[in-house]
Amino acid sequence: MNKYLLLFLFLFSGVCSHAQSDSTATEKNKKKFSLRDPEDNAIDLSSYLIDFKGVMPVPIIITEPAVGYGGGVALIYFHNRKKKYNSYVAPNLTGVAGLGTQNKTWGAAAFHTHIFGENRVRTTTAFILPKIRYDYYGNNSELLSKNPVTVRLNSWGIFQEAELRIAESKFYAGLAYMYFKSNVSFDTIPGKPLVNLILSRLNSNSVISTIKPMLVYDSRDNNFTPTKGINSELSISHSAKWLGSDDKYSTLKTDFYGYWPIGSKVFSGWRFNGSYMLGEGPFYAYPFVSLRGIPAMRYQSDNVLVAETEWRYNFYRRWSVVGFTGVGKAFKDLDTFNDIDFTYTVGSGIRYKLARMLGLHSGVDFAMGNGKDFAFYIVFGSSW
């Protein structure tokens, strides 16, 4: 459930900006609260979030085909910094979130992100409580691809990550730890007693405990809605019994996100992701294609490649229109690569610059996957 099981990990991505607020000066000036930007008199949340240490309620509207329609809310508190630095340092964030869907999937989380010094160390801490129900289509299984079984994951997990900036460069060396415990069960199928007997024997408890060393390069001008720069990561997650995990396996990830302005009003984004399973893990932990319009965990296998591009055109004041398309493939190995079809998605959306000083855009996307699966998404910041 890359989008909603780890939705909370997206919500506490660090805030970047072209301006910085001093909380002491704010108290002295006693600025009057306003939802209007004095620069253009447009509706804007910058003052609310920066000058007044605001709590940002973020609506979560879910149209993910894998779990059905649903919604929730995240409450994110922006901590202002009293100390000034020569370069911009994003505020620390603390928040809670909760969501639910029509197929009885629900989740809750608490999280905190912290930056120490002048962007020297970045940390993220989270506790998640997801209860997920979704259709499992197998690892390139011909039988399950046409007859999926419904899986329930009653889970809880903890996540801790720390990244250390290397000298004065844009590189960070990091280490993450995740503990994820699940009770795995399968829904019965009416009129299929033999199949139900087999499914009942597959019910189990599962523990994933991983450490993930990583190397990150981040030159984005804005963590919410970047217009230029690169964010890339090379990492390998290792799950081992000595860590408390039930299975021994690793997942290698190569992620690249690039942002280039084409002109003063046109901006392009490029995404290339690779996930490679080394060994055998629990079925729900295998990589899967994650694209807008494609049901989560619908296309899953040992190896996954995804490429996507998004273009945004600022057509009027704070308003922009976006268009995007992407392809992905989940395959067992190189020998079966040509036997598997690519999945694809196309879509468009609308954006509004919601907080000018934070460079934050928000809006809605409409996507069609493989010409048949339709979904729309509320976007807060970047879709990636």
Side-chain angles (χ1 to χ4, degrees), residues 141-203:
S141 168
E142 184 175 349
L143 176 62
L144 289 177
S145 65
K146 299 177 182 179
N147 303 278
V149 295
T150 302
V151 179
R152 294 177 182 266
L153 296 178
N154 293 323
S155 314
W156 66 271
I158 56 175
F159 177 84
Q160 178 65 60
E161 180 180 272
E163 295 177 352
L164 173 66
R165 186 178 178 184
I166 302 176
E168 301 302 320
S169 71
K170 300 291 186 180
F171 285 95
Y172 290 81
L175 185 68
Y177 172 75
M178 184 183 71
Y179 182 90
F180 192 73
K181 185 174 183 179
S182 298
N183 174 264
V184 183
S185 60
F186 296 82
D187 281 3
T188 58
I189 303 173
K192 302 287 185 179
L194 183 58
V195 174
N196 292 336
L197 179 61
I198 297 174
L199 291 176
S200 66
R201 292 179 177 177
L202 296 176
N203 296 343

Side-chain angles (χ1 to χ4, degrees), residues 144-364:
L144 289 177
S145 65
K146 299 177 182 179
N147 303 278
V149 295
T150 302
V151 179
R152 294 177 182 266
L153 296 178
N154 293 323
S155 314
W156 66 271
I158 56 175
F159 177 84
Q160 178 65 60
E161 180 180 272
E163 295 177 352
L164 173 66
R165 186 178 178 184
I166 302 176
E168 301 302 320
S169 71
K170 300 291 186 180
F171 285 95
Y172 290 81
L175 185 68
Y177 172 75
M178 184 183 71
Y179 182 90
F180 192 73
K181 185 174 183 179
S182 298
N183 174 264
V184 183
S185 60
F186 296 82
D187 281 3
T188 58
I189 303 173
K192 302 287 185 179
L194 183 58
V195 174
N196 292 336
L197 179 61
I198 297 174
L199 291 176
S200 66
R201 292 179 177 177
L202 296 176
N203 296 343
S204 64
N205 292 317
S206 174
V207 174
I208 295 176
S209 181
T210 67
I211 55 173
K212 182 177 75 170
M214 69 192 82
L215 180 65
V216 177
Y217 178 81
D218 190 355
S219 65
R220 292 171 296 171
D221 63 337
N222 186 306
N223 285 17
F224 271 124
T225 310
T227 59
K228 63 180 179 180
I230 292 173
N231 183 31
S232 62
E233 178 180 313
L234 174 64
S235 66
I236 183 165
S237 299
H238 183 62
S239 177
K241 293 186 177 181
W242 63 267
L243 288 169
S245 185
D246 291 337
D247 302 281
K248 181 181 179 181
Y249 67 96
S250 299
T251 304
L252 174 66
K253 295 195 68 177
T254 56
D255 294 331
F256 174 89
Y257 303 90
Y259 306 89
W260 284 275
I262 307 303
S264 61
K265 292 182 176 293
V266 180
F267 306 90
S268 69
W270 304 84
R271 166 195 176 200
F272 302 94
N273 300 129
S275 297
Y276 317 93
M277 178 73 83
L278 309 173
E280 295 185 5
F283 68 90
Y284 60 85
Y286 277 74
F288 61 92
V289 174
S290 177
L291 286 168
R292 282 166 285 184
I294 301 294
M297 301 188 80
R298 173 63 179 85
Y299 302 99
Q300 185 177 20
S301 194
D302 294 61
N303 306 287
V304 168
L305 295 174
V306 171
E308 187 178 12
T309 183
E310 178 179 286
W311 292 65
R312 178 170 62 87
Y313 172 60
N314 180 207
F315 66 90
Y316 177 72
R317 298 182 68 180
R318 292 182 175 232
W319 292 96
S320 301
V321 62
V322 301
F324 54 88
T325 184
V327 296
K329 179 178 284 196
F331 56 100
K332 181 73 175 176
D333 48 42
L334 291 177
D335 292 335
T336 61
F337 183 86
N338 292 328
D339 299 330
I340 306 298
D341 293 332
F342 278 98
T343 61
Y344 66 90
T345 183
V346 294
S348 63
I350 193 78
R351 296 287 187 276
Y352 177 79
K353 186 184 291 185
L354 191 60
R356 176 182 58 82
M357 294 179 66
L358 294 175
L360 168 64
H361 292 240
S362 186
V364 60

Side-chain angles (χ1 to χ4, degrees), residues 7-8 11 55-60 72-76 95-98 111:
L7 171 67
F8 313 112
L11 288 173
V55 174
M56 165 71 91
V58 181
I60 303 170
V73 66
L75 300 177
I76 305 176
V96 294
F111 51 85

